[in-house]
Amino acid sequence: MEQVTTVVVGAGHAGLAASHFLSDRAIDHVVLERGEIANSWRHERWDSLRLLTPNWLNRLPGHSYQGPDPDGYLTMSEVVEFIEQYAAVSAAPVRTGTNVESLRRDGDGYLLATSRGDLRCQAVVLASGACNVPTVPAISAGVPASVAQLTPFDYRGPDQVADGGVLVVGGSATGVQLAAELQRAGRQVILATGEHVRLPRVYRGRDVLWWMDASGVWDQRYDEVDDLTRARRLPSPQLVGTPERSTLDLNALTALGVELVGRLAAVRDGTALFSGGLRNVCSLADLKMRRLLASFDEWARTTGRDAEVGPPEEYAPTTVAASTRLRLDLHGGEVGTIVWATGFRPDYRWLDVPVVDEKGRLRHEGGVLDSPGLYALGLPLLRRRRSTFISGIEDDARAVVDHLAKHLPASAG
């Protein structure tokens, strides 16, 4: 049986960053990838998607964007190229087309059964990400067979969507982007949204993510967050990466002709039932946005950065109709397709180690699991708020590999 000191599962940006620091420490390792390098970016994204982060912010350990458009946003093919380049320059020992079928304890180490044979190792880094499977609520079972159902993994573009109106469920970045694309393509879209995070694309002349980065919001550690479980499950902010750096919030969708309704609460007898709390949900999102922008203003003032940016801006409250519909007859033909933009979850069915909670998520402390030698990377707010983004992986991977190196016996490497 093949033996190696460390196995990294997943050859996306997280797994490759782990490989970088393992190589720096001369720790013998392999990176196993079920498909190709950057597999999810290649095969599990819709055609028009761009990164939410501006190009200048896209960086990995020893590798950063060097193109002519630092304020632009990478397309999916450009993301794949960026990650492929990183794999090449870092000479990561990636084995593509290698599916991990099971992982279990084996003495003081681990045994991995893969589609290309078994591996024994002393440590494992789980870097397969948190978005392996789209989350579809159980109420989808009540949708009539005459209505097509898609997830973001199924969706590629408006042309594949059946004729008729579209109900998009979910008001995160994915939901608002798909709703806008479908509405612009001539479909009448209804967007059902509950809790969401509203942000402008640009504030005071700078990308809103510049403010998050420069002001230190993203530097908050996981052990400084009051309700960590809730923070890790917050929906992604309503942002889109476009050449014109446009804001895509609910007001922008309303201007396009999208109908807003409350959270989809149930489907009974072929009828979709929506919450009546949309106005309150939007008011809360507006309030949180204003507070965040005010904190940016205060930071700029107290650090002497006011002269570098434009004047403070105000944004109109989210416009909500006086009366939003509470019911939609799915048999009536008004809607031919439902797109479930209701989030994603990891898939650890192959993990035969008791480190997964009742929701299917890993129990970990800053990426360190409670099974010695087992680690995680690429999860939301793993160690800091910036963990969600590509640029956040460097600090996470360095810390995790530091802990891993201390776990290994002195003879390993």
Side-chain angles (χ1 to χ4, degrees):
M1 182 182 297
E2 183 179 3
Q3 299 200 35
V4 65
T5 302
T6 300
V7 172
V8 179
V9 181
H13 72 280
L16 295 174
S19 175
H20 170 91
F21 288 111
L22 289 166
S23 294
D24 273 359
R25 288 179 169 272
I27 296 174
D28 174 43
H29 68 284
V30 295
V31 182
L32 305 183
E33 171 54 56
R34 61 187 170 91
E36 306 168 79
I37 291 172
N39 195 70
S40 61
W41 298 105
R42 293 176 189 270
H43 303 297
E44 296 170 355
R45 303 292 188 268
W46 62 95
D47 296 343
S48 66
L49 181 63
R50 290 175 179 261
L51 278 191
L52 296 182
T53 49
N55 293 336
W56 60 263
L57 191 55
N58 297 326
R59 51 182 180 259
L60 291 166
H63 186 64
S64 61
Y65 176 81
Q66 300 296 322
D69 186 17
D71 290 323
Y73 307 89
L74 296 182
T75 65
M76 289 305 95
S77 62
E78 290 168 336
V79 174
V80 170
E81 182 181 2
F82 181 76
I83 295 175
E84 279 186 325
Q85 288 173 348
Y86 184 59
V89 299
S90 63
V94 179
R95 299 182 185 179
T96 57
T98 305
N99 188 49
V100 178
E101 297 168 347
S102 68
L103 168 65
R104 62 178 176 83
R105 291 288 301 183
D106 181 51
D108 60 355
Y110 294 92
L111 179 65
L112 293 92
T114 83
S115 56
R116 294 193 172 185
D118 294 349
L119 281 167
R120 181 177 287 126
C121 63
Q122 293 173 307
V124 178
V125 179
L126 305 176
S128 54
C131 300
N132 307 128
V133 181
T135 301
V136 178
I139 59 176
S140 63
V143 174
S146 58
V147 177
Q149 300 185 59
L150 298 175
T151 72
F153 277 21
D154 306 317
Y155 178 86
R156 287 293 174 268
D159 290 346
Q160 78 174 104
V161 178
D163 292 339
V166 181
L167 171 62
V168 177
V169 183
S172 65
T174 298
V176 296
Q177 289 181 44
L178 298 187
E181 179 169 279
L182 288 161
Q183 186 73 29
R184 290 188 180 111
R187 310 304 176 87
Q188 179 54 56
V189 175
I190 301 169
L191 177 71
T193 182
E195 181 182 16
H196 58 272
V197 179
R198 182 188 180 192
L199 287 179
R201 178 73 270 182
V202 175
Y203 182 62
R204 299 180 64 177
R206 297 293 184 96
D207 192 289
V208 72
L209 298 188
W210 177 86
W211 290 94
M212 303 284 276
D213 184 57
S215 68
V217 169
W218 275 353
D219 292 329
Q220 185 181 27
R221 289 174 48 90
Y222 72 98
D223 50 9
E224 299 171 340
V225 176
D226 290 335
D227 189 342
L228 182 59
T229 299
R230 172 175 166 75
R232 283 175 170 164
R233 296 179 183 179
L234 280 177
S236 56
Q238 292 175 336
L239 290 174
V240 62
T242 59
E244 62 274 16
R245 301 203 296 172
S246 58
T247 291
L248 184 59
D249 56 14
L250 298 186
N251 282 346
L253 291 180
T254 299
L256 287 173
V258 173
E259 179 185 353
L260 304 180
V261 296
R263 179 179 60 86
L264 178 58
V267 178
R268 294 178 186 157
D269 299 323
T271 298
L273 305 177
F274 304 107
S275 165
L278 179 61
R279 185 180 299 276
N280 290 338
V281 165
C282 291
S283 294
L284 181 59
D286 292 349
L287 174 63
K288 290 181 176 180
M289 180 185 72
R290 288 195 298 271
R291 286 177 175 171
L292 179 63
L293 299 183
S295 74
F296 294 159
D297 295 337
E298 176 66 12
W299 169 81
R301 186 185 64 78
T302 57
T303 58
R305 306 290 291 270
D306 260 332
E308 299 178 25
V309 296
E313 300 174 71
E314 293 187 7
Y315 295 88
T318 302
T319 301
V320 179
S323 178
T324 61
R325 78 164 90 190
L326 301 178
R327 304 166 63 89
L328 172 63
D329 181 5
L330 298 177
H331 290 294
E334 182 179 358
V335 164
T337 304
I338 296 178
V339 179
W340 297 102
T342 41
F344 306 91
R345 60 178 175 82
D347 182 5
Y348 297 121
R349 288 174 294 180
W350 49 274
L351 187 57
D352 193 19
V353 184
V355 291
V356 178
D357 67 17
E358 68 281 358
K359 298 289 188 179
R361 297 179 175 88
L362 291 177
R363 296 190 301 272
H364 67 91
E365 185 74 16
V368 180
L369 281 72
D370 57 7
S371 181
L374 193 57
Y375 300 88
L377 282 174
L379 303 179
L381 225 164
L382 185 99
R383 296 188 64 82
R384 297 184 186 273
R385 286 197 179 273
R386 68 174 67 247
S387 295
T388 300
F389 300 97
I390 288 177
S391 62
I393 196 60
E394 182 167 359
D395 290 341
D396 285 2
R398 182 187 292 109
V400 162
V401 171
D402 283 351
H403 192 287
L404 184 154
K406 294 173 184 175
H407 162 77
L408 296 175
S411 58

